[in-house]
Every structure is written in C-alpha cells, then in structure tokens.
Amino acid sequence: MAQDLGSAMAMLADPVLLLVMLASAIYGLFIGAIPGLTATLATALLVPFAFFLDPLPAIASIITMSAVAIFAGDLPSALVRMPGTPASAAYTEDAYRLTRAGQGARVLGVGLVGSAIGGIAGALILIVAAPLLAEVALRFTSYEYFWVAVLGLTASVIISRGSQVKGAIALLLGMFLSTVGIDIALGYERFTFGSTALLQGISFIPAMIGLFGLSEVLRIVMDPAARGARVRLNTKGMFRDTFRTLWRYRKGMASGTAIGGAIGALPGAGGDVAAWVSYAVAKNTAKEGHLFGRGKGHIEPIVAAGSSNNSALASAYVPSLVFGIPGDTITAILIGVLLVKGVEPGPALFSGQTPMLYAIYLTFILANLLLIPLGYAAIRGGGHLLRMPPAVLVPMIVAFCVVGSYAINNGNLEIVVMLLMGVLGYLLERGGFPLAPMVLGLVLGPIVEKNFMQSVIKTNWDLSQFLTRPISAILMTTTLLVLAWPLLRPLFRRRTADPVTRLE
Amino acid sequence: MTGPAAGSEAGPGAGAGPGAGPGAGSGPGSGSRAGQGRERPGLGDVIGGGLAAGLGVAVILYARGFPSLPGGAPGPALFPSIIGALLAAFGLVLVVRWVRRDRTARPAVDPGEPGAPGERGEPGESVERASIPSRTAWTNAAAILGSVVLYLLVAGILGFAITITLLLFGLMWRLGARPVVAAAAAIGTTALIYLLFQVVLLVPLPTGPFG
C-alpha cells in the first residue's frame, strides 16, 4: 500500500501532469465564472485535448477543471445574481442578497472553502466506497453488468429533472443513436444507409461537443440574459470570517456533503440536483430556514449546498470507476472518451492498476487544494471574469467547437455530426427534454446490448439466468423499485402535495 | 428572481420545495406526479412526442429487414425494435397528454421555455424572462449555424487561418461587437487555436493557398 502510494506520488510529480492540471483549473475558473457556460460545456470543449492525453492526465484535467468550475459558478451568483453553472442556482438568491448587504467576501469565501472541503470529502467517499463496491463488481458477469447498466438508465430517467416521459424519450433517443453502426451479435450494419463513415457509429466526442457546446451558444443567442450591476468586494479578513461561519454551520456542511455524496453516486444526477436537495434539506431543518432566499439572504444554505455540489462531483466517480456507469454528465463524457481511447473503467482498475487508482484519488485532493489559491485570486479579481462580452465569447466557442470536432479524426464528418447534434440538443432543451439521460443512453446503450447478447448467446436464450443469479436478482429488484418510485412517491407525500394541487 | 428552474418538477426528494422564489411552479409538492397534472403541456410536447413516436415506428419497420441469429432468435433487430417500441409508446403519451390537456390550467412555464432545464438549467431562469426569441435572435442563431456550414465549404479552399478569422470577425460583428474589438479578437482567437491544435496537439489543420 505504502509502496503503491509512493508510485502514485511519483506519477503525480510529472511536470506535464501538473501543468495540465493548472491549465485546466484556470480554464475551469474562466468558464465557470461566465454565466451561461456550464461545467458540462467546459468538459465538452476540453475533450478534444483530453483525447490526445494519456488516461491519467486526461482524467486529472477533467477532475480539476470541473472542481474549479463548480466553485467559479458562485462568483456571478453573488455578483450579478446569475449562476455561473446550474450547480450554483439553488443558492444564487441568498448569495446575491448577502452580497448586496455587504457580505460578498464572506459568501464567496464560504463558497470557496466549502467547495474545497466538500470536494475532499467527496473524494474520501470515493476512496472508501469504490474499493468496497469493486469487491462486489469483481464477481460480476455479463448478467450483472446488464442489470447495472439497466439500473443506471432507469435511475437517470426517474431522477431527471422535468417530465419523466420526456426524460425517457431523451434516453431512448440516445440509445437509438448508439445502435448506429456495426452490430455486436452478427456484425450487421445498422442504420448506416450504406455510408461507410457511419460504420463505426456516431462519433461520440463531436456528438458531445455539439450537444453541450454548440447547443449552449444557440441558447445564449436565442435567449440573451440581462446583465446585472457590478459589486465591489472587500476581502479583508475573509478567511477568518469564512472559517468561523463554516464552524458555526458545521452540521449543515456535514449533511450537505453527505447528501452530495449520495446523490452524486446516482447515475444522471450531478452537482445541480445535489445542491437543490441540500438547499431543501437545510431549509427544512435549520432554525432560520424561513429566512433563506429572502430579505438579506442567509449564509447557511450556501454552506450546505456549496459543499454539496462539489462533493457530488467527486462521488460521481464511484459508479464511473467501479462499474463504468457514469454518475453525471461530466463523468459520462469522461467514460465516453476513455472508451474511445480503449480504456475500459471497471473493477479491474481496483485489483490491477493500484498506483493509477491512487493517483486518481490524489488528483482529487490536489485539485481541491489548488482551488483555494486560484479561487481566492478570482474573488480578489472580482467581476473581471464576467466582463467578457457575449458578442466575442460566442463566436470563440463556436470556433473551438468546429476545430475541436475536426481534431478528433481530421475530418469534416465530425464537424457535421457536431452541427447536427448541436441543433438537436438545442431543440430538445427548448422542448423541455433533458439532455443528461440522452448522454447516458449513448454511453450505456451499447453496454446494455453487449452484455445482454453475450449472456443469451452463451446460454442459448436461457433467460432465467437474468433472474436467478443472486446479484442479478438484487439488481433487478432495485431496478423495479426505482421504476415504481414515481407511483409510490405520492403515497409518502400526499399530505404536503394536496393543498397545493387544489389551490392551483 | 432566480426561481428554482421555473417549474422544476423535482429532483429526488426535492418535493420538500427548494422553491425559494414565488414562481408559479416552484411551490412545495411540485413533485412529478402532482406537477404533471397541473402543468399544461406545451407545443414542444406534442411536436417532440409526435416526432418520437414517428421515429419509433420507422425504427421498428426498418429493423424488420435485419437478419436474425442462426436458429431464428432475434439478433441485430432486437434492441432497435425494443427502443423503437418504447419511443413510440412514450411519444404517444406526450401527444395524448397534449390533446387531453386542461385548457383552463395556468401554464406553469412558458410553453417555449424548457420546462426544466435539467443538468444545464441556466442563468436567471426567471419565469418573467419570457422567451419568445426576437427576430435578431433568430438571425443570430442562423448566422452561427451558417458560419459552421460555411467553414465546411470554404476551409478546404482558403485554409483554416483565413476562413476562421473571417468567420470569427463576421460573427462577432453580427453579434454586436465593435469592428476593432471584433478584428482583434478574431485574430487572437485564430492564433490561439492554431497554437493549441496545430503546434501543441499536432493536428493538421487545413492549409490554404499560402501554405
């Protein structure tokens, strides 16, 4: 163990890796701080670069970038009342009101240190939970992998925000797109319409760039947001104040971190859902919950939800690394990239490549420590990051989408895929169809099909194995429970829901 | 107000009401079942549902031409057919819901507004910020898509550097940047992209008449 940790440290000491992490952090700070640009968009634009890196720097770069971006989203929340990323949306109102009341530095200090602590706590959850789950996962065969993937798909629909029917349609659309190309059972060409370019299937990275990059800029120009006024911050004594506040609300921070850790590990739910739930829990349990989001705002939800979203970010790697089932859109993109590079995440990572695993753990901790000085600089710099006019920013992103897609295969087909997926992503969002289930469908669709086909061909269509193997049975029951959840939920909730329904 | 993503129908357990704002759909209990009864399905529902159903049927019909496994068991057609059937079913649900919608109900969200922004819910998702895009917005979006198409057509002839500089300039100008700013930013961005992709990542970008 000590020896593995030593070799992991040696892997991290690589100057290229450290440089990649630093550059990714600055990039994440920049994208996260600009309202309208999400951490997922940042990931999509980062992917062409990650594609050229070795697996460890690629993973490290995405980890660092997203950890920083999620904090940076707090900056415009506090300064101009616009969440920089959706993960900050839950407590934007409180952050802005407190800033107006002259407490901006405290808000951002709490956001910053809370994020770092939440991120490290999430990493600890990962370090403890992942190897335990991997023990189980090592006993998995194609049957269990089939069920785990189905469970992931089901959960992503049930917890998708917005209508679940629309979530299901988005998921199925992603799964359908994943069937394009050579089929796993017979090598038959499906939905290629004679095009040799489509034999390999729809190119994943350009699809992500379109879905989260181009569609996002379309949304920005179609629905331009108003810009708020700028506020000055006084950062004197910020850290002392921050630590005092965090200590005072340490219970809120602990529960926020725990909630984030649990929600992040669910497939399809990321930092934004974690932040909303933590906010709701804090509001219901805090003595001063009635003050949240009104008057001068309240710092407690920022402590809870701000640590929650970073914790969720880290724990999303639990199912990603153990089963290859992504915990949120960022890890979905990461897994897609690793698969394209021929690296298959799974329990083997935990038995074979231990130094690599420790290096990933250390990356998390390093990334969250790096967050503090960079975040402090950003707070000192105040709103400068927000000054980038959209008229300049939007074309820049478009150019990066185009060249990034091209770079994957030096071909124009990838640009076409990016363009079409960009338009599709925009239209889906506009119609209220969530994109997260669609990405999961794209990544998990082939896994579901491959494991199903392998299983049935192996046993000559003896389906009973799916039901009678012990782990299979447990996973199937869990899937059924998740599916039944929307039907069961009103039973638990009737008392609170009814008055509202009647009123409206 | 930055209401919780207008009419957010709920994350897990969010029924406790993360809704801090007084938005129409943000009250406690806007959990999915309770919420769906209230919220009027918008145009996006019927169009999206119809298209999904159509795609589902088309996929099933097309997949009938796929070969089966030796012994007659379904092979390549199995998954596409299941996906197609479910797409058709869920698509129909949306259409039926729209047809039977309660016309008197107050729409919780503007029909055009994404009912719930999911993973990427956005800045100042206020209910008030209505979202019927202006004509400028449409032309701007068209300009963005058009410039990608133009790049595809022209980059092979003019080369990467010239094409992307011109497109960047045009697009920035169109979106309202001052010409001087646009020119400087266009050249700077092109140089940055060239440096990152051609020099660092060794991607052979299309060269133009000047090499």
Side-chain angles (χ1 to χ4, degrees), chain A residues 129-464:
Chain A
L132 293 178
L133 277 175
E135 290 280 310
V136 182
L138 274 174
R139 311 224 306 266
F140 278 19
T141 59
S142 55
Y143 301 98
E144 284 78 20
Y145 272 112
F146 168 78
W147 280 116
V148 168
V150 170
L151 179 60
L153 292 175
T154 316
S156 81
V157 169
I158 298 299
I159 59 189
S160 69
R161 292 175 61 187
S163 148
Q164 283 152 353
V165 176
K166 289 183 176 178
I169 289 177
L171 172 85
L172 290 163
L173 194 57
M175 287 181 77
F176 165 65
L177 291 175
S178 81
T179 64
V180 174
I182 294 202
D183 128 81
I184 184 88
L186 285 181
Y188 183 75
E189 297 167 22
R190 295 190 296 201
F191 308 107
T192 55
F193 304 100
S195 151
T196 46
L198 283 175
L199 282 183
Q200 300 300 315
I202 291 177
S203 191
F204 180 78
I205 296 174
M208 288 305 106
I209 297 175
L211 222 44
F212 293 105
L214 191 68
S215 84
E216 196 76 60
V217 298
L218 287 177
R219 224 148 70 79
I220 294 172
V221 297
M222 289 300 262
D223 199 6
R227 319 211 95 208
R230 255 191 85 204
V231 191
R232 286 193 78 83
L233 300 175
N234 177 13
T235 52
K236 220 167 145 194
M238 180 182 93
F239 279 109
R240 207 182 41 190
D241 206 13
T242 295
F243 284 111
R244 201 178 290 155
T245 310
L246 287 177
W247 181 249
R248 182 160 169 214
Y249 297 112
R250 57 192 178 279
K251 266 167 69 184
M253 187 162 68
S255 81
T257 309
I259 291 168
I263 287 176
L266 295 175
D272 56 336
V273 178
W276 280 116
V277 176
S278 304
Y279 188 99
V281 169
K283 193 174 165 71
N284 285 341
T285 54
K287 261 183 245 140
E288 299 177 320
H290 59 283
L291 294 176
F292 290 11
R294 54 187 67 179
K296 285 185 177 169
H298 203 285
I299 195 86
E300 189 169 353
I302 301 173
V303 175
S307 51
S308 178
N309 54 22
N310 276 65
S311 152
L313 210 58
S315 72
Y317 284 80
V318 175
S320 313
L321 294 179
V322 177
F323 306 117
I325 308 287
D328 59 9
T329 38
I330 295 171
T331 46
I333 296 176
L334 176 65
I335 287 179
V337 175
L338 290 177
L339 291 176
V340 173
K341 290 169 71 80
V343 180
E344 204 160 331
L349 188 64
F350 293 83
S351 51
Q353 304 174 296
T354 319
M356 168 77 168
L357 189 66
Y358 286 158
I360 295 177
Y361 293 160
L362 289 175
T363 305
F364 270 103
I365 294 171
L366 191 59
N368 281 293
L369 292 178
L370 197 60
L371 173 60
I372 295 197
L374 276 174
Y376 181 64
I379 294 171
R380 286 297 297 270
H384 284 297
L385 283 169
L386 313 180
R387 285 261 193 86
M388 195 84 172
V392 171
L393 195 64
V394 163
M396 279 177 76
I397 296 174
V398 174
F400 271 92
C401 289
V402 168
V403 182
S405 310
Y406 172 87
I408 300 308
N409 200 22
N410 303 333
N412 279 350
L413 177 78
E414 279 72 17
I415 303 180
V416 175
V417 169
M418 186 276 295
L419 181 65
L420 294 178
M421 294 299 273
V423 174
L424 179 66
Y426 173 75
L427 293 176
L428 284 173
E429 276 253 298
R430 198 159 170 82
F433 294 84
L435 295 184
M438 182 166 165
V439 187
L440 259 79
L442 263 172
V443 175
L444 294 183
I447 297 179
V448 172
E449 181 171 17
K450 187 181 88 185
N451 287 298
F452 183 83
M453 283 299 172
Q454 275 177 359
S455 307
V456 295
I457 291 172
K458 205 158 51 185
T459 59
N460 208 10
W461 284 85
D462 174 16
L463 296 178
S464 66

Side-chain angles (χ1 to χ4, degrees), chain B residues 38-79:
Chain B
R38 248 170 342 118
E39 192 178 311
R40 191 172 65 179
L43 227 81
D45 289 46
V46 67
I47 298 172
L51 288 176
L55 176 69
V57 172
V59 167
I60 296 174
L61 293 178
Y62 193 81
R64 290 177 64 174
F66 293 176
S68 46
L69 293 179
L78 180 64
F79 267 72

Side-chain angles (χ1 to χ4, degrees), chain B residues 51-184:
Chain B
L51 288 176
L55 176 69
V57 172
V59 167
I60 296 174
L61 293 178
Y62 193 81
R64 290 177 64 174
F66 293 176
S68 46
L69 293 179
L78 180 64
F79 267 72
S81 305
I82 296 174
I83 294 168
L86 291 172
L87 263 178
F90 285 120
L92 272 181
V93 170
L94 282 190
V95 174
V96 169
R97 236 187 233 168
W98 182 79
V99 171
R100 297 176 51 189
R101 72 194 180 280
D102 179 3
R103 276 161 221 270
T104 55
R106 195 157 52 108
V109 196
D110 183 290
E113 185 94 312
E119 178 52 16
R120 322 180 309 126
E122 252 346 298
E125 209 112 25
S126 52
V127 183
E128 296 93 336
R129 208 184 76 219
S131 75
I132 296 168
S134 63
R135 185 187 283 176
T136 332
W138 281 105
T139 33
N140 285 345
I144 288 177
L145 298 178
S147 60
V148 177
V149 174
L150 251 152
Y151 178 87
L152 282 168
L153 297 175
V154 178
I157 305 163
L158 285 181
F160 155 79
I162 296 175
T163 316
I164 208 95
T165 312
L166 290 178
L167 286 176
L168 276 169
F169 175 77
L171 210 48
M172 287 173 182
W173 193 39
R174 160 81 228 161
L175 293 179
R178 291 208 317 272
V180 186
V181 176

